[in-house]
Structure formats: C-alpha cells, structure tokens
Amino acid sequence: MFAKPYKVKSNNTLKNSEKKHLAQRIQNEFPKATEEKVKDLVPVKSNSSCVKLILHSGDTVGVYVVDGIPLMIDLGEKLIPTVYALWKATDLIPTISIHSLVLSKVQGGAPLYAPGVVTDPSRFPYFPRDAVIAVCTVDNGAAGIVGRAVISSGDLLATSMGVCLETYHVLGDLLCKDSKFTKIERPKLDPICYDVTESITTNISQLQIQPVKEEWPSLVKEETAVVNQPTVIPESNNESQPEPMEQGDQNLNNSVSTECSEEEDGIPADMDGLLRWCLLSFLKREGKNIELPLKTNLLYKNHLMAYCPPDRTLDVKKSNYKKMGKFLEAMEREGLISVREVEKGVSALVSLQLAHPQLRAHRAPPPAPPAPALPATAAPPAVRELHCVTAHVADLFAPLKKGTALSAGEVRAVLQRYAAERQLSARGAVALDELLAKVTGRQPQELIKWEELMSSVLGRMTPSTEMQYADGTVKLIKSRLEPVKMQVATRSGNKKVTLVSNLESFGFELAALARACQLRAGAACGVTRSAAARADQLMLQGDQTHFVAKLLIEEYGLPKKFLEGADKALNKKK
C-alpha cells in the first residue's frame, strides 16, 4: 500500500470529540482492545491528527497520527493498525511468525508465501479468511508486517505453497520513512504464545450441533388401543371448562403466534433487517421508473421512509450501520446497487440490479398513497402593484377621490381618454395643457412622449400593493413590498446554509413552508432570526437557491419579479 510514493491531500487536527470517536471505534473493531490499551494508544491529552493520503493507485486512505506516530490506517469500512500500534498493544490482532530472512524479502516488495511461515502450534493463532493479521519474526515478537489473510489458519497449516498474505503495511515502507512522522526503532519483544486448546474449544462452541434423530423404529412394544372398547367417562362439574394453561405453555403459545405473525407480514423485527426490507421494497416498486443518479440523502428521506410500516420507525442511527453510507456499502457488496461520488462529498445511486435473485424473491407491499397536498394557507396571496391618487393628480383623475388605487393600465387609460377629449395627441406625443403641465412640472404647449408622461404621473402617485388571499379577503398596503431575498451564508465548519427572508410579507406561513422544504429537498430546514433582522427567516442546509426559486415560483405561484435573483437561481445547475 505504501511501497510507492503517495501524496498528502489534507492534514486536520482532531478535536476532543473526534479523539473519543476514534477511541470508541478502536474498541468496537478490535475485541481485545481494552480501555487501558486504548488510552495508551490514544491519550486524552495527545496531539492527534488525521492525514488524508492519495496512494499511487489513486485510492484515498486516512492515517491517524498520535504525537507524531502513525497508529491507525482508515480504509473507510475498517481500521488497520500500523506496526507502531502493535508494538504498544501486541495482542490487538492475531500474529503469526516467519523466518527472520523472510522479512527483508517482503520489505523489498515480495509477497509472503506459505513456506516462510513458522507453523509452531504454540505460536500459531486461529483466524478466518480475510482477517487482518500481523507478522513477526522468530527472533523478535515485535510486528513487522500487517496485512490481510488470503487463506484461513487451517488452510495455512495444511498447505505448503502459495501466497498467504496481502500486505497492507510493512516496517521500512514510505509511511515509516516519511519525514513528518517521528522515527522509532523496532523494539525487542517476546513472541506471543497461543493456547491451542482454548482456540479449539472456542471454535467448537461456535458450531451449532444438532442431536441425531432416531431413524430406526423402537424395539419396545407399544400399547395399542383396543378398537370399539367402551370407556367410562368420569363425572365432573367442570366438563365444559378447559383445563387452565400453565404460564410456560402460555408464553410458548404467545411466542409462536408472534413468530407466525412476523413470518406472515415478512417485515423483519430488527432495524438492520427493516432498512434492507425498505430498500428492497423501493427497488421492487420504483426501480424501473426512478431517475438516476439519485442522491443518497433523498433516497433515505423520500423513498425508504415512505415504505416503513406506520407502526414502526425507521432510524438508521439505531441500526448497526449507524450511517447511511455504511448501509449502502453493505448493499453494494451484495450486488443490489452501485454508489458513486457524483460531486465533492455527495454520493448517489448510479445503477440498480433489478434482476438480483433476492429482489425477485422479495414481496413488496402495495404502493404507498400519494403524499397529502400542502395546506392552502401556505400559498401566497395574489399580489398586484397599484398606484394611489394623491393631491397632485386629484384634478386629473376627477371624479375619483383621493386615495383611490389604480393599476398602471388604468392610469394610462385615463390619460389617453383625457388627451383624446381635448385633442392633445400628436404623433406619439402629447401637447401639455395647463393641468398636465402642472402635474409634470413643465411648460404648457410643450410636446412630451407618452412614456415620459406616464412616468411623471406615476411618480406623483403613491405606490401601493394589493394582496388578495385564498379566502377572498383583499388587503391594500400603501407601500411597495420588498422582494423575497435569498442569501447563501457560511457557518462553522465551512458549512453552507441558505437564508430566505421577507416571506411573511407575502403571506407565507414559515412553519408549513419549512416542513415542505424539508420533505422536498431532503435537507434540514427551520425557522430562525438573525440578530439584525426584524422578522423570522427560513434556513436550509446547503446551497438551496435553485430549489427555493423553483418551489416558490412554479408550485406556489409567486411572481418572478418578487423574488430577488430568481433568474440566476433558476439557471444554476442542480
């Protein structure tokens, strides 16, 4: 893995919470990692960091460094201890012994072959195939090689040829020679001794041995009932009452009925099985019509949770996977789906194996009913820009009273009628009389274009906004509404959020709109208020300007001119 040069992608210092997570992960993945050993590997007051490396093969791995010493290699799905970590915790993983001369051959790039392994029963552990094991020499118990076992321990004892280990890390490779890390010499340790009897007992205890059923008939003569033999039925006062059932029999019947009901429904009782069941149901029902690539966050919120039974709760954090990425990796190993990184930090489903035997045998539930429509109270009112008559133009619009609201088209119609009655029109222009000259502030008999006359008259009027709600009520605001504003801000950890303000001015209910955004976008959404703001605003996780603009304009009917930056947001790539 580190035999060829690599590149450093990033080097981030670990916080205390991240160090605790690393320590907990070591305890979970290595059964023999006690709290004392973990504290020795990752001290609380240590200077720890995570270095991302791009290998010569193009793969990216993480290396956890504690006080300048690389201790753990993070492959994503599992941790690999370095030789330095095994010098502190010698029994962290199984260790086999090799001849002293073989170590130099492996350091030179040769694989480890079975003849080079010492098959001493007192120094040979039990391990399955694909297990992570360490390799030491017969003269020194300190680990020198860490790799993956190509064959199991039983096959290794039985064979005398072939490669037995895929090398991950070897003492003296480029990771050990890196100038950023502290140089430590290999200590002199005693070899680890394994109890063969204990390992055999452990292996036998894992086997499920069933008792042998008697295939031959019994030689004991059984009593046969005499046909047509009259029997005497004893008299009893409780003939019709059944015998009381004992507590053990009652529990047995309850457990049998529960198992039967679960078997009839086909829905697993554990969270891991429920996750897999929901994924198979989604692929069975929607796999042929789904548009790929499908982002993984949308898959969980919009599709998997929709197939969860109403009496159950689907929560990936309560499963053994803990994260959606781990679950999808397991499903990818089974051959059901294929997941790729479509953007930086964003994974998506790129292909589905609809002909998989497990998918064909799965019985999916009937399709879920369509999602309920959004409440009508969340829709904005119909907005119309008007202009109110003022004292400056009251004589021009007589007999309309002061304060009457008119649209721009109605103002133009009044001016055209006024000019036609007094014959003031002349080739696309208007000759000003005394009233028009007074309104526009120009000289009488001066020719003015219609556009200039309209802008002058509208400038003398009060801009207003009429809002007509869904229930028929009309509200007139004698001011011009500010448009809805979208802003992308950066929070701690270089995380982006989208802030949408001035929604309440257009009649939006922020709580209902937040629920709709969380459901449609598959991202966290809430109502907040900044320190300098006078009203609440909507906050969505990530850059969601394209989604917000499309939702407000296409689904809620908000005019595009009332959304600031609408064209730029709609043209942005999803």
Side-chain angles (χ1 to χ4, degrees):
M1 184 179 292
F2 303 103
K4 296 183 179 181
Y6 55 80
K7 297 180 181 179
V8 178
K9 183 179 180 180
S10 62
N11 188 358
N12 299 322
T13 304
L14 298 182
K15 302 178 183 178
N16 291 333
S17 59
E18 294 173 336
K19 286 193 288 186
K20 292 180 181 179
H21 176 71
L22 175 61
Q24 186 63 39
R25 188 177 174 186
I26 293 175
Q27 280 188 324
N28 295 338
E29 296 192 16
F30 301 101
K32 294 187 178 181
T34 60
E35 294 184 3
E36 292 75 11
K37 293 180 182 179
V38 174
K39 289 181 180 179
D40 189 20
L41 291 174
V42 188
V44 179
K45 297 183 179 180
S46 61
N47 184 13
S48 305
S49 61
C50 180
V51 183
K52 295 290 185 180
L53 303 179
I54 302 178
L55 304 180
H56 187 269
S57 60
D59 299 331
T60 302
V61 298
V63 178
Y64 288 101
V65 183
V66 179
D67 293 332
I69 300 175
L71 290 182
M72 290 289 167
I73 304 170
D74 188 5
L75 299 184
E77 69 277 2
K78 60 182 177 181
L79 290 176
I80 306 297
T82 63
V83 292
Y84 303 109
L86 296 176
W87 295 347
K88 293 185 177 181
T90 55
D91 59 344
L92 202 61
I93 57 177
T95 304
I96 61 175
S97 301
I98 59 174
H99 299 286
S100 302
L101 298 178
V102 179
L103 179 60
S104 59
K105 302 295 182 180
V106 177
Q107 290 175 340
L112 179 60
Y113 293 94
V117 180
V118 178
T119 57
D120 186 1
S122 62
R123 298 186 183 181
F124 206 82
Y126 165 79
F127 53 86
R129 182 182 178 183
D130 294 332
V132 179
I133 62 174
V135 180
C136 66
T137 55
V138 291
D139 58 345
N140 191 351
I145 307 172
V146 180
R148 180 183 67 88
V150 180
I151 56 178
S152 64
S153 57
D155 295 337
L156 182 57
L157 291 173
T159 187
S160 60
M161 58 184 301
V163 178
C164 62
L165 185 74
E166 177 187 350
T167 305
Y168 285 147
H169 166 55
V170 62
L171 180 64
D173 59 7
L174 295 180
L175 184 66
C176 300
K177 297 179 181 179
D178 200 320
S179 59
K180 297 187 293 297
F181 305 139
T182 305
K183 301 296 184 295
I184 301 178
E185 295 183 358
R186 184 187 180 193
K188 183 71 174 180
L189 300 177
D190 295 332
I192 302 176
C193 296
Y194 294 94
D195 189 359
V196 181
T197 306
E198 181 181 358
S199 62
I200 294 175
T201 306
T202 304
N203 298 337
I204 294 176
S205 63
Q206 295 177 355
L207 299 177
Q208 298 179 355
I209 303 176
Q210 301 293 337
V212 179
K213 295 183 179 180
E214 187 177 3
E215 298 180 358
W216 296 93
S218 177
L219 298 178
V220 181
K221 185 178 181 181
E222 298 181 357
E223 295 182 358
T224 58
V226 181
V227 182
N228 298 329
Q229 178 79 17
T231 58
V232 179
I233 301 176
E235 296 182 357
S236 176
N237 297 330
N238 300 328
E239 291 181 355
S240 60
Q241 297 180 0
E243 295 182 359
M245 184 180 296
E246 296 183 0
Q247 185 68 23
D249 297 339
Q250 186 175 0
N251 295 337
L252 179 61
N253 290 343
N254 293 338
S255 62
V256 171
S257 62
T258 304
E259 292 176 1
C260 293
S261 62
E262 289 183 358
E263 186 177 352
E264 290 176 0
D265 296 339
I267 303 176
D270 60 320
M271 188 59 66
D272 293 356
L274 182 61
L275 269 172
R276 189 175 182 277
W277 185 86
C278 292
L279 178 64
L280 292 175
S281 302
F282 159 69
L283 297 178
K284 188 84 171 183
R285 291 292 181 186
E286 307 180 32
K288 295 181 180 179
N289 302 324
I290 199 68
E291 183 178 354
L292 298 177
L294 176 62
K295 295 183 179 180
T296 55
N297 58 343
L298 299 180
L299 169 69
Y300 179 67
K301 290 184 176 291
N302 297 354
H303 300 284
L304 297 190
M305 294 183 68
Y307 284 94
C308 181
D311 57 337
R312 302 282 297 276
T313 301
L314 188 67
D315 191 356
V316 68
K317 294 182 180 179
K318 295 182 180 179
S319 65
N320 294 327
Y321 301 105
K322 301 301 181 184
K323 293 183 179 180
M324 193 64 182
K326 300 292 184 183
F327 167 69
L328 295 179
E329 287 178 3
M331 297 300 101
E332 189 174 12
R333 287 194 295 269
E334 291 189 17
L336 290 170
I337 57 175
S338 296
V339 182
R340 295 291 182 271
E341 188 176 5
V342 293
E343 298 176 9
K344 185 177 180 181
V346 179
S347 300
L349 268 67
V350 294
S351 65
L352 311 175
Q353 299 299 331
L354 302 180
H356 198 280
Q358 297 180 8
L359 189 59
R360 288 185 173 182
H362 179 71
R363 296 179 60 185
L374 295 173
T377 55
V383 182
R384 196 165 61 128
E385 290 184 339
L386 301 178
H387 303 270
C388 291
V389 178
T390 60
H392 295 282
V393 295
D395 296 337
L396 182 62
F397 290 93
L400 298 178
K401 296 182 180 180
K402 179 183 175 182
T404 304
L406 301 174
S407 63
E410 293 173 342
V411 172
R412 178 180 287 274
V414 170
L415 292 178
Q416 289 177 348
R417 185 171 60 252
Y418 181 87
E421 291 175 355
R422 291 163 179 77
Q423 297 180 356
L424 301 176
S425 301
R427 294 184 180 180
V430 181
L432 301 179
D433 60 358
E434 293 182 359
L435 181 57
L436 292 178
K438 180 182 177 181
V439 172
T440 58
R442 299 197 180 191
Q443 298 296 326
Q445 303 301 324
E446 183 179 350
L447 292 177
I448 184 174
K449 294 183 179 180
W450 277 104
E451 289 76 10
E452 296 180 4
L453 178 61
M454 276 289 297
S455 61
S456 299
V457 173
L458 294 178
R460 296 282 184 173
M461 303 176 72
T462 303
S464 305
T465 306
E466 181 188 74
M467 306 181 70
Q468 184 174 2
Y469 295 89
D471 56 357
T473 59
V474 179
K475 182 180 179 181
L476 180 64
I477 303 175
K478 291 189 176 181
S479 63
R480 185 165 294 168
L481 286 181
E482 295 184 3
V484 177
K485 297 181 180 180
M486 298 182 297
Q487 179 186 2
V488 179
T490 304
R491 293 293 186 263
S492 59
N494 200 22
K495 296 181 179 179
K496 293 183 179 181
V497 294
T498 302
L499 302 175
V500 188
S501 57
N502 204 33
L503 287 167
E504 292 181 329
S505 301
F506 291 87
F508 283 101
E509 289 186 5
L510 296 186
L513 187 60
R515 289 194 299 269
C517 292
Q518 187 171 4
L519 180 65
R520 304 281 181 91
C525 181
V527 181
T528 182
R529 178 181 293 190
S530 61
R534 293 177 296 178
D536 293 338
Q537 57 187 358
L538 212 62
M539 183 172 67
L540 291 86
Q541 183 181 10
D543 186 358
Q544 304 288 350
T545 52
H546 176 86
F547 165 75
V548 172
K550 193 172 182 180
L551 178 70
L552 295 179
I553 294 175
E554 297 183 3
E555 298 194 26
Y556 286 98
L558 183 69
K560 188 183 294 185
K561 61 182 177 181
F562 292 117
L563 182 61
E564 191 176 86
D567 293 331
K568 182 179 179 181
L570 291 175
N571 293 333
K572 183 186 296 185
K573 184 179 180 181
K574 294 184 181 179

